[in-house]
């Protein structure tokens, strides 16, 4: 997990869980710790994002109290 700050605000920049540990809800603890670290700066808001198709991560954000405020789909031709 990388708790960081972009030019606008604090963000959860990256979260990774090894494949063999997925599905155990470790993500909830990892996300909670990252959020806690960023919250010590008393920000107005903390942002994070995930791919639209990553429903497990979206569910983890929802369980942690994050709200969806926009969606982005990036399409490329190969």
């Amino acid at each position: 997990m990388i708790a960081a700050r972009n030019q606008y605000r604090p963000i959860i920049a990256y979260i990774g869980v090894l494949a063999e540990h997925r599905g155990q809800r470790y993500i909830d603890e990892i996300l909670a710790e990252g959020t806690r670290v960023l919250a010590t700066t008393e920000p107005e808001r903390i942002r994070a994002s995930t791919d639209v198709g990553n429903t497990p991560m979206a569910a983890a954000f929802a369980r942690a109290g994050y709200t969806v405020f926009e969606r982005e789909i990036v399409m490329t031709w190969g």
Side-chain angles (χ1 to χ4, degrees):
M1 191 275 306
I2 299 173
R5 180 174 180 85
N6 64 17
Q7 62 188 20
Y8 306 109
R9 65 190 44 87
I11 60 169
I12 299 294
Y14 178 81
I15 298 176
V17 177
L18 295 172
E20 61 267 23
H21 297 288
R22 292 181 184 155
Q24 305 298 314
R25 292 226 174 149
Y26 295 131
I27 191 61
D28 293 344
E29 294 176 39
I30 295 167
L31 181 57
E33 179 63 9
T35 303
R36 185 197 65 74
V37 167
L38 293 172
T40 64
T41 66
E42 300 181 14
E44 182 179 330
R45 66 180 51 95
I46 297 169
R47 289 196 176 169
S49 67
T50 190
D51 298 331
V52 171
N54 189 344
T55 55
M57 191 65 235
F61 284 134
R63 287 191 301 272
Y66 283 73
T67 58
V68 175
F69 67 93
E70 68 183 12
R71 296 179 189 267
E72 176 182 8
I73 298 174
V74 178
M75 302 175 81
T76 61
W77 288 265

